[in-house]
């Protein structure tokens, strides 16, 4: 989404005061059931908003090549005041890498990128380490944020709930985090959105990795062919 204008329309406004600087705006009413994402390039996608957001979220992921910002903007619009983040567990299994965070300050996401997971590594690093949800109601007082507290409070972040994202083999793929500017704990509605997002994100991450693996395989195959051609060419030139 970097450098692109994005608009999101819902059948009903879900927030009267969007987060300043957010790259999505909740606009006027449209035909009931419509969810429209219009990008500057002119491409428009329609996704029906269903009683269970999960189906719409998975359609959103399926329609785009793991543009994670689309998924998070979709979920953020269902939960006013929430700032979403997806971190990916590095192949070394001990560091997290930035995946998406369309509404968080870039200076904050850049600082998190590459951090180690562990038993006291904020919400996300701890969730990936423990392989279980980590709910921090107040960053200002929770010991899990001792090493990161000042930086988070500098960006006016007060609560962070992080949930591991698993693949079908129950291996950790990354984490989905919900940040808020006020202390608080998740409600039943929040847990619904969390389940929706982690399922859609898992599907998207696996899809992305499969695409990357195929790309690497094609590249390696091309390199092997080029090496064989070069070798054969050298052999023919030597005979002449």
């Amino acid at each position: 989404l970097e450098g692109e204008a994005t608009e999101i329309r819902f059948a009903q406004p879900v927030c009267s005061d969007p987060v300043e600087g957010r790259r999505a705006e909740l606009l006027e009413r449209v035909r009931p059931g419509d969810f429209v994402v219009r990008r500057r390039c002119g491409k428009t996608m329609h996704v029906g908003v269903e009683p269970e957001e999960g189906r719409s979220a998975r359609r959103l992921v399926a329609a785009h090549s793991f543009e994670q910002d689309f998924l998070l903007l979709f979920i953020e619009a269902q939960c006013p005041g929430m700032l979403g983040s997806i971190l990916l567990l590095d192949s070394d299994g001990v560091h997290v890498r930035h995946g998406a965070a369309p509404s968080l300050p870039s200076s904050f996401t850049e600082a998190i990128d590459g951090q180690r997971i562990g038993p006291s590594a904020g919400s996300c690093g701890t969730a990936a380490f423990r392989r279980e949800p980590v709910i921090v109601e107040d960053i200002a007082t929770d010991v899990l944020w001792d090493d990161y507290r000042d930086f988070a409070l500098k960006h006016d972040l007060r609560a962070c709930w992080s949930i591991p994202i698993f693949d079908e083999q129950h291996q950790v793929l990354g984490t989905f985090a919900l940040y808020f500017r006020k202390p608080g704990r998740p409600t039943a509605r929040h847990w619904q959105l969390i389940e929706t997002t982690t399922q859609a994100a898992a599907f998207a991450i696996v899809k992305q990795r499969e695409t990357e693996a195929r790309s690497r395989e094609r590249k390696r195959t091309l390199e092997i062919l080029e090496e064989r051609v070069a070798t054969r060419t050298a052999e023919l030139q030597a005979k002449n």
Side-chain angles (χ1 to χ4, degrees):
L1 292 180
E2 196 65 34
E4 296 180 331
T6 302
E7 296 178 351
I8 294 183
R9 296 188 179 190
F10 288 87
Q12 296 181 356
V14 295
C15 177
S16 59
D17 184 22
V19 177
E20 184 178 357
R22 184 172 176 173
R23 285 178 290 167
E25 296 179 358
L26 306 181
L27 304 177
E28 72 274 11
R29 291 171 182 266
V30 294
R31 188 172 69 253
D34 268 6
F35 172 79
V36 180
V37 176
R38 182 167 60 240
R39 302 173 64 186
R40 180 173 293 170
C41 63
K43 179 179 179 181
T44 302
M45 183 189 69
H46 298 259
V47 178
V49 176
E50 301 167 344
E52 296 182 12
E53 293 87 349
R55 289 194 289 265
S56 292
R58 284 190 288 275
R59 289 178 186 174
L60 189 64
V61 169
H64 296 269
S65 299
F66 194 40
E67 294 184 8
Q68 302 167 70
D69 283 351
F70 272 109
L71 173 61
L72 290 183
L73 287 171
F74 177 81
I75 297 300
E76 286 178 357
Q78 313 299 312
C79 184
M82 186 271 279
L83 313 175
S85 169
I86 290 177
L87 293 179
L88 306 175
L89 187 62
D90 195 78
S91 57
D92 64 11
V94 295
H95 295 89
V96 289
R97 299 296 178 183
H98 172 68
S103 302
L104 285 173
S106 58
S107 56
F108 182 77
T109 58
E110 289 168 3
I112 292 176
D113 184 50
Q115 292 294 316
R116 292 179 64 91
I117 66 174
S120 299
S123 299
C124 296
T126 306
F129 181 80
R130 293 181 181 175
R131 300 168 57 86
E132 64 183 24
V134 171
I135 306 301
V136 170
E137 181 176 356
D138 191 351
I139 291 174
T141 59
D142 198 293
V143 295
L144 294 180
W145 280 82
D146 282 351
D147 294 337
Y148 313 94
R149 178 176 297 111
D150 291 343
F151 195 64
L153 296 181
K154 176 183 176 182
H155 289 87
D156 196 28
L157 301 174
R158 290 298 304 273
C160 181
W161 318 330
S162 185
I163 297 83
I165 301 168
F166 296 103
D167 63 14
E168 291 184 351
Q169 289 71 44
H170 207 62
Q171 298 300 308
V172 176
L173 298 171
T175 60
F176 165 54
L178 300 81
Y179 288 87
F180 295 86
R181 300 195 184 281
K182 295 180 181 179
R185 295 186 61 81
T187 64
R189 171 60 174 161
H190 289 128
W191 283 113
Q192 258 187 338
L193 292 173
I194 287 169
E195 182 178 3
T196 291
T197 308
T198 52
Q199 290 178 359
F203 170 79
I205 294 171
V206 170
K207 179 181 176 182
Q208 179 194 32
R209 291 185 175 180
E210 290 174 347
T211 299
E212 291 173 349
R214 287 193 297 269
S215 178
R216 288 192 300 269
E217 182 62 27
R218 284 194 297 269
K219 182 179 179 180
R220 179 55 185 156
T221 299
L222 181 59
E223 289 173 349
I224 292 173
L225 289 174
E226 289 175 345
E227 290 172 1
R228 290 178 178 175
V229 169
T231 300
R232 182 56 178 163
T233 300
E235 291 173 350
L236 293 174
Q237 290 175 344
K239 289 181 179 180
N240 295 331

